[in-house]
């Protein structure tokens, strides 16, 4: 979900206004995902690198997560979304962690769409955390294969990523789901996240559907 800052800047607004505008597009997009038959949607909300932003912006983002949890979770719950979070929880403010747990508990029985929110998430951290847990579990190195490794990721049930949408024109992966994107198709758009519309989401999925995926084959 990139481009909130630039969206705000182009309107002479503070960056926080861009983040707020970014939140407001979430519900229509999640609804559209459901209509399109998308079973799993992962949103990259805050990376392990985002702590490097000025503390005022980090605080704004944390407050916004709390507000968003309060305002959107009941609504998403009614629409049948199951919410889960990916990332290192231990460094997040206590209140944010509580809100995450509440959202997960409230929505755990839902089945229309799985919505994962990557919060304090880093692809490398996820791989390091998986390796640490495998070693702690005393796994036999020769018994570790790709399936074993995948079972140690934050959410082993998440299927491989089919389509990765990158807004605001950036041509990089930015430490997102490094394991899971091995064969992901990319859709890069200049559109800034707050302007990313259900129509464009549909176009992205249509573009994905028209591609032939060979996964190294012919
Ligand atoms: C949102 O966009 C990403 C978050 C960390 C919430 P940015 O804040 O990165 O926006 P730009 O890149 O400055 O436009
Ligand atoms: Mg950015």
């Amino acid at each position: 979900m990139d481009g909130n800052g630039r969206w705000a800047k182009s309107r002479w607004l503070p960056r926080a206004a861009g983040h707020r505008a970014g939140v407001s597009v979430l519900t229509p997009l999640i609804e559209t995902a459901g209509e399109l038959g998308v079973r799993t949607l992962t949103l990259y909300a805050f990376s392990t690198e985002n702590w490097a932003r000025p503390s005022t912006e980090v605080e704004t983002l944390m407050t916004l997560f709390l507000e968003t949890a309060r305002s959107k979770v009941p609504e998403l719950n009614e629409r049948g979304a199951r919410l889960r979070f990916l990332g290192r929880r231990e460094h997040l403010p206590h209140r944010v962690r509580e809100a995450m747990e509440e959202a997960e508990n409230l929505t755990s029985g839902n089945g229309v769409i799985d919505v994962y929110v990557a919060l304090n998430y880093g692809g490398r951290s996820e791989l390091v955390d998986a390796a640490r847990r495998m070693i702690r579990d005393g796994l036999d190195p020769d018994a570790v294969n790709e399936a074993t490794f995948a079972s140690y990721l934050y959410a082993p049930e998440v299927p491989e990523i089919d389509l990765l949408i990158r807004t605001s024109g950036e041509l990089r992966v930015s430490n997102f789901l490094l394991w899971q994107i091995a064969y992901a198709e990319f859709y890069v758009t200049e559109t800034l996240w707050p302007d990313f519309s259900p129509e464009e989401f549909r176009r992205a999925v249509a573009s994905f559907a028209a591609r032939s995926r060979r996964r190294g084959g012919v």
Side-chain angles (χ1 to χ4, degrees), residues 16-173:
H19 294 313
R20 271 179 205 289
V23 168
S24 71
V25 300
L26 285 173
T27 310
L29 289 173
I30 293 170
E31 209 171 305
T32 305
E35 288 164 15
L36 286 167
V38 172
R39 284 288 299 111
T40 310
L41 184 71
T42 307
L43 301 159
Y44 200 3
F46 192 86
S47 76
T48 47
E49 289 73 36
N50 286 148
W51 296 106
R53 296 190 176 200
S55 61
T56 47
E57 181 166 353
V58 171
E59 278 159 30
T60 299
L61 286 168
M62 293 299 153
T63 306
L64 195 56
F65 296 142
L66 281 171
E67 279 178 30
T68 307
R70 223 168 283 135
S71 63
K72 304 261 182 230
V73 170
E75 184 183 313
L76 292 175
N77 183 43
E78 275 174 31
R79 292 174 198 274
R82 190 176 74 111
L83 282 162
R84 309 274 303 155
F85 293 87
L86 305 177
R88 283 187 176 162
R89 299 197 184 200
E90 60 272 19
H91 302 120
L92 289 166
H94 185 66
R95 288 187 313 152
V96 172
R97 282 161 62 179
E98 262 176 7
M100 288 158 74
E101 278 160 32
E102 273 172 34
E104 289 183 333
N105 292 337
L106 178 73
T107 62
S108 63
N110 295 340
V112 176
I113 183 169
D114 290 338
V115 178
Y116 288 86
V117 181
L119 201 58
N120 195 20
Y121 175 87
R124 287 184 174 177
S125 311
E126 179 171 31
L127 299 179
V128 168
D129 289 350
R132 282 183 185 162
R133 285 195 295 120
M134 278 188 277
I135 295 165
R136 263 191 214 116
D137 283 356
L139 262 63
D140 169 7
D142 294 322
V144 175
N145 55 28
E146 291 186 12
T148 323
F149 208 105
S151 74
Y152 276 85
L153 298 173
Y154 290 142
E157 74 281 9
V158 173
E160 271 197 47
I161 303 303
D162 288 319
L163 173 64
L164 188 147
I165 298 175
R166 175 97 211 205
T167 57
S168 82
E170 305 294 357
L171 299 172
R172 52 178 171 265
V173 169

